[in-house]
Amino acid sequence: MNPILRDNFGRTIDYLRLSVTDRCVLRCQYCMPKGFKDFAEPGGWLSFEELTRLVAVFARLGLRHLRLTGGEPLVRRDLPVLVRMLAEIPGLEDISLSSNCMRMEKLAGPLAEAGVKRLNVSLDSLRPERFREITGGGRLDKVLRGIEAAREAGMWPIKINTVAMKGFNDDEFDDLIAYCVEHGYALRFIETMPVGDTGRQALGSYLNLQRVRQELVERHGLVPASMVGAGPARYYRVPGSETRIGFITPISQHFCATCNRVRLSCEGDLFACLGDEHRYGLREPLRAGCGDEELAEHVLAAINLKPERHEFNERQEKVVRFMSMTGG
């Protein structure tokens, strides 16, 4: 089967973000409400075999890059087993992981050995009390040890993802840059997005990263740069180091024209756009016993739902699901 994953606007889709669970050990303010318990039932989650079969169909259609997300993917029991199964799929070139790293210290070795190559870490503050506040009780020391364990296990590059929030962590940007330069990590600042009620509430702390970028470029002498697996980020290099600073700007300067990704929930719903509520259910045909060719037709039909662009600015109320359902 020739690579044919292309949407109605000519964009090649070669990147899948696969949510293996919607559960998480943290409650970040912009992602999930405190006390939220309306999670998908484990019986509705796709099994490892079902996930592997679907990804294999995607790969035959041209998928090359896979990122495991959640919720928090390390909550899914026996995750290294799934990674090992996925790593054997022909045509799949890269498996990466997005994590808060609260459970990474023990799992880094098994995950890297199974096939995880790269890591993105959610880290919005380097101050323990502030980190605990934004995450609803998270421990910064555990996260930092988890990141170090991932580096020692061979995951590289490691990208630190920081949601930029006015009046909360905008006084830490220089500290975050210094931390990443010290350890050789990349740093990506991300604008808040109106995904779910929590995301819309977080817009009260919205920071336009166009201005932040200009300030940091001038203060640190940042120079334009590229990076492997850049995705939607626009990167700059910190002079005298290999550290890249990226800016992800879905609100102030969207990147929809070059979007190459779709998202699959743990229940088998394919979301063609993070900023759209349309979903295509793949679990029912999968469990109904359809063959791979028929599954491929369902995947292609789902890709055709991908809109030309999101409407975060025009229709902030549009996306009602929480970010944890699709892993960002």
Side-chain angles (χ1 to χ4, degrees):
M1 189 178 295
N2 295 322
I4 51 175
L5 269 185
R6 189 171 291 112
D7 69 11
N8 288 327
F9 303 96
R11 293 170 296 199
T12 298
I13 310 301
D14 60 3
Y15 178 13
L16 175 67
R17 295 179 65 99
L18 174 61
S19 174
V20 297
T21 177
D22 60 343
R23 304 188 181 210
C24 188
V25 294
L26 301 179
R27 294 292 182 274
C28 294
Q29 294 176 7
Y30 50 80
C31 183
M32 193 189 306
K34 291 182 179 179
F36 178 79
K37 295 182 179 179
D38 191 21
F39 299 107
E41 291 298 322
W45 296 353
L46 296 185
S47 68
F48 286 0
E49 290 75 18
E50 290 170 329
L51 290 170
T52 302
R53 185 179 173 209
L54 268 180
V55 173
V57 169
F58 270 93
R60 284 194 291 275
L61 290 169
L63 178 74
R64 294 295 172 259
H65 307 285
L66 177 69
R67 176 172 294 277
L68 302 180
T69 70
E72 168 51 44
L74 272 59
V75 170
R76 185 77 183 250
R77 184 177 300 174
D78 296 325
L79 186 62
V81 174
L82 174 61
V83 173
R84 194 170 295 110
M85 294 167 66
L86 295 169
E88 295 177 354
I89 294 175
L92 195 60
E93 298 173 357
D94 176 53
I95 300 177
S96 57
L97 178 73
S98 289
S99 174
N100 58 40
C101 280
M102 284 282 289
R103 297 186 175 184
M104 182 62 76
E105 196 169 6
K106 292 182 178 180
L107 287 170
L111 286 168
E113 184 178 351
V116 173
K117 297 179 180 179
R118 300 184 289 117
L119 174 67
N120 284 12
V121 184
S122 176
L123 180 61
D124 297 325
S125 176
L126 290 171
R127 302 179 186 179
E129 289 301 322
R130 182 178 285 180
F131 182 83
R132 186 176 297 112
E133 179 183 351
I134 188 63
T135 59
R139 284 180 49 187
L140 179 63
D141 60 322
K142 289 188 68 173
V143 171
L144 297 182
R145 290 199 303 271
I147 298 172
E148 180 62 26
R151 179 170 69 171
E152 291 178 354
M155 295 185 199
W156 199 261
I158 292 176
K159 299 176 183 177
I160 305 299
N161 288 343
T162 297
V163 176
M165 292 170 281
K166 179 175 61 180
F168 188 86
N169 64 356
D170 51 346
D171 59 345
E172 286 194 66
F173 293 168
D174 291 337
D175 293 339
L176 285 158
I177 291 174
Y179 166 75
C180 289
V181 169
E182 178 185 356
H183 296 281
Y185 306 145
L187 172 63
R188 307 197 303 178
F189 293 108
I190 305 172
E191 291 179 339
T192 53
M193 289 174 277
V195 177
D197 290 340
T198 50
R200 281 183 284 277
Q201 292 166 6
L203 288 179
S205 302
Y206 170 76
L207 265 178
N208 185 318
L209 286 184
Q210 304 300 327
R211 293 193 290 269
V212 171
R213 175 173 57 181
Q214 187 58 40
E215 292 171 1
L216 293 178
V217 166
E218 293 175 359
R219 190 154 67 241
H220 293 273
L222 304 181
V223 294
S226 60
M227 184 168 185
V228 174
R234 297 172 174 89
Y235 280 100
Y236 293 76
R237 182 175 58 82
V238 179
S241 79
E242 292 302 314
T243 292
R244 265 58 173 175
I245 310 296
F247 299 87
I248 300 178
T249 56
I251 305 297
S252 65
Q253 186 180 5
H254 72 76
F255 34 83
C256 301
T258 59
C259 184
N260 66 335
R261 66 199 61 195
V262 292
R263 294 164 172 84
L264 184 68
S265 79
C266 61
E267 295 183 289
D269 289 327
L270 192 71
F271 292 87
C273 173
L274 181 63
D276 197 278
E277 271 298 301
H278 287 111
R279 67 191 73 189
Y280 192 106
L282 294 173
R283 182 178 63 186
E284 183 175 344
L286 182 67
R287 292 186 175 177
C290 69
D292 287 355
E293 292 296 328
E294 186 178 349
L295 268 180
E297 292 301 319
H298 284 291
V299 169
L300 293 172
I303 297 298
N304 286 335
L305 293 176
K306 191 172 180 66
E308 185 175 11
R309 59 179 297 267
H310 64 66
E311 297 180 308
F312 282 152
N313 290 312
E314 300 87 350
R315 298 179 60 191
Q316 294 184 352
E317 79 288 348
K318 185 173 184 178
V319 182
V320 298
R321 69 185 185 276
F322 295 116
M323 186 73 81
S324 60
M325 290 181 62
T326 44

